[in-house]
Amino acid sequence: MPWWMNGLAIPGVQLLLALAVASLVVLGVGESPFATLKVMLVGALDPQAGLSSTLYYATSLIFTGLAVTVAFHAGLFNIGGEGQAYFAGLGVALACLWLDGTLNAPLMFLVAILSAVLFGAAWALVPAYLQARRGAHVVVTTIMFNYIAAGLLNYMLAGPIRSTEGMAIETRPIAEAALLPKAQPWLQSMGIEVGPSYLNLSLLVALICVVLVWWLLWYTRLGYALRTYGQNPRAARYAGLSATSMIVIAMLISGALAGLMAVNDVYGAQGRLVLNYTGGMGFLGIAVALMGRNHPLGVLASALLFGALYQGSTDLQLEFPRISPELILVIQGLVVFFAAALDRLVRDPMERWYLRRQLKSVAR
C-alpha cells in the first residue's frame, strides 16, 4: 500500500466512523452532533483561544506516544509511561529546587531535560532487567511500577518537598529567573496573537524527538537491531543479538522519552511539581501510539488529534452541561476502538478496493 493509503486514507475513514458513532451517543443525550462538533473544533483550533492549549497537550502525548512506539518495535509493550513520567517529574523538581538559585533559565532548561531523561530511564530499568533476566513480563512489572511511582510521589509531596506556604499539595514554585517564558510572549513578539496557555519550548523538544526516533528506528544499526528483535526474537538471537541488551536498551529509551513529559509539565507549564500532574497522559500515550501505527510521524498526527479532543472537550462541557467528562472519554475510546481494535474492519475492504483499481489500470 502507498504511504497515503496507510497514513491518510485508512486512518481518515476510521476517524469518520468513530465520529459517526460518537454523534449517535451525543444524540442520545439530547444534543446536536453538529453543534457539539463545531464547539470542539473552535475550542481546539481557534488561534485566539484554544490552539496553543491543544499544542501543549499534544506535546505531552508526543513524548508518551513515542515511548510506547520505541518499546513496541522491540516487541515490548511499555504500559509504564505514567510511572516513568511520575518519577521523572520528581527528578526534575528536585533538580530545579536545588539549582534554581544558581542557574539561569537556559541552563536550568537543559538540566530539567537531563534530569527527566535520567529519572525516566532509571524507572524503566528495573522492569527491563526483570523481563530480560528473570522472565517477569514487562506489562505486569510496568503496571506495578506505576503504582509504586505514584505512592512515592505522594509521599514526597506530603512531606519532604512540600511547600510550606498554603494548603496545596505541591512543591514551592521554581524561581522565576530559572524559568523560560511561556510560548505566548515569544509568539506575540513575532506578531502572532495567541491566547494564554501553558505552551512552552518543550514542543520544540518533542518535535526534535519525533525526528530522532524516526532516524533511530529506520536509519541506524541500533534501530534495525531493535526492529529485528521485535519481529523475530529467535532469528535475532541466532544472528548474534543479545536479548538482554535489546530489551534493556529499548526500555531505557522508552522510559527516557516518557520522562520528558515532566519537562513540559513540571518545568515548562506549572513551574512546580503538583500531585497527579500527569493527568493520565502516560496511559493516553498508548492510544496515541496505536492510532499512529507506531510510526513517529503517525504519533505526531495522532497526538495533535487527541490534544484537540482534550482541549475541545473543555469548551464542550461549558457549552453543553448535559455532556459529562465521561462522554468525552467515550469519544476518545471510540477513536481508539475503530483505529486499533477494528483496524482490519476498515483496512481489508479499502486495500481490496485499491488493489482492484490497480489491476484494472494495469489491464488497460
Side-chain angles (χ1 to χ4, degrees):
M1 293 294 105
W3 68 269
W4 59 266
M5 192 72 173
N6 281 322
L8 294 176
I10 294 175
V13 172
Q14 291 169 338
L15 178 60
L16 289 176
L17 286 174
L19 292 177
V21 177
S23 298
L24 298 178
V25 177
V26 172
L27 279 174
V29 298
E31 299 291 353
S32 168
F34 296 103
T36 55
L37 181 61
K38 179 180 178 181
V39 169
M40 287 190 69
L41 289 176
V42 172
L45 303 178
D46 184 5
Q48 300 297 326
L51 180 59
S52 54
S53 294
T54 295
L55 294 176
Y56 159 68
Y57 292 126
T59 301
S60 293
L61 292 173
I62 289 172
F63 289 133
T64 55
L66 289 176
V68 176
T69 294
V70 171
F72 179 85
H73 281 287
L76 304 168
F77 198 27
N78 180 16
I79 309 185
E82 190 86 354
Q84 290 145 21
Y86 267 136
F87 196 62
L90 180 61
V92 170
L94 291 174
C96 290
L97 295 177
W98 180 35
L99 298 172
D100 63 349
T102 58
L103 297 182
N104 58 22
L107 287 177
M108 195 74 258
F109 184 55
L110 295 177
V111 169
I113 292 175
L114 182 61
S115 301
V117 167
L118 292 177
F119 275 71
W123 202 248
L125 177 60
V126 177
Y129 174 81
L130 293 175
Q131 164 89 17
R133 305 297 293 179
R134 293 293 181 264
H137 203 286
V138 72
V139 170
V140 177
T141 53
T142 49
I143 290 175
M144 294 171 61
F145 267 62
N146 286 337
Y147 290 103
I148 296 173
L152 177 61
L153 190 66
N154 291 347
Y155 166 75
M156 295 295 291
L157 282 175
I161 61 174
R162 182 176 181 177
S163 173
T164 56
E165 299 179 1
M167 298 297 293
I169 303 177
E170 60 186 23
T171 64
R172 68 164 176 83
I174 300 170
E176 287 290 334
L179 289 175
L180 288 172
K182 303 288 192 297
Q184 185 187 24
W186 292 68
L187 295 174
Q188 288 179 340
S189 66
M190 295 184 289
I192 303 174
E193 292 296 327
V194 297
S197 76
Y198 286 135
L199 182 65
N200 57 83
L201 284 181
S202 298
L203 175 61
L204 179 61
V205 178
L207 296 177
I208 293 173
C209 286
V210 169
V211 176
L212 289 177
V213 170
W214 170 71
W215 172 76
L216 168 70
L217 290 175
W218 278 276
Y219 291 94
T220 66
R221 293 179 63 183
L222 175 60
Y224 181 74
L226 291 174
R227 290 187 292 116
T228 300
Y229 180 79
Q231 293 177 18
N232 195 327
R234 294 181 64 185
R237 286 193 292 267
Y238 181 77
L241 295 177
S242 168
T244 300
S245 298
M246 293 297 98
I247 292 172
V248 170
I249 290 173
M251 286 298 293
L252 287 178
I253 297 173
S254 180
L257 288 167
L260 283 171
M261 178 185 165
V263 180
N264 184 41
D265 282 89
V266 177
Y267 175 81
Q270 304 287 346
R272 58 173 63 83
L273 179 62
V274 300
L275 191 65
N276 298 325
Y277 88 90
T278 57
M281 291 293 183
F283 294 118
L284 195 54
I286 301 172
V288 168
L290 290 175
M291 187 168 184
R293 298 293 182 271
N294 288 292
H295 190 284
L297 297 181
V299 166
L300 173 60
S302 180
L304 291 172
L305 171 63
F306 277 92
L309 286 173
Y310 207 91
Q311 170 59 26
S313 65
T314 304
D315 290 352
L316 196 62
Q317 295 171 49
L318 294 174
E319 293 287 336
F320 303 99
R322 282 184 289 186
I323 296 182
S324 64
E326 288 74 19
L327 185 59
I328 305 303
L329 293 177
V330 170
I331 296 174
Q332 293 176 351
L334 287 171
V335 173
V336 178
F337 184 64
F338 279 96
L342 294 183
D343 177 58
R344 305 310 307 183
L345 179 68
V346 176
R347 181 174 299 275
D348 287 347
M350 290 191 68
E351 288 182 349
R352 287 195 296 267
W353 168 82
Y354 177 79
L355 291 174
R356 282 197 300 268
R357 285 182 59 88
Q358 291 297 102
L359 289 174
K360 288 180 180 178
S361 64
V362 170
R364 295 194 190 100

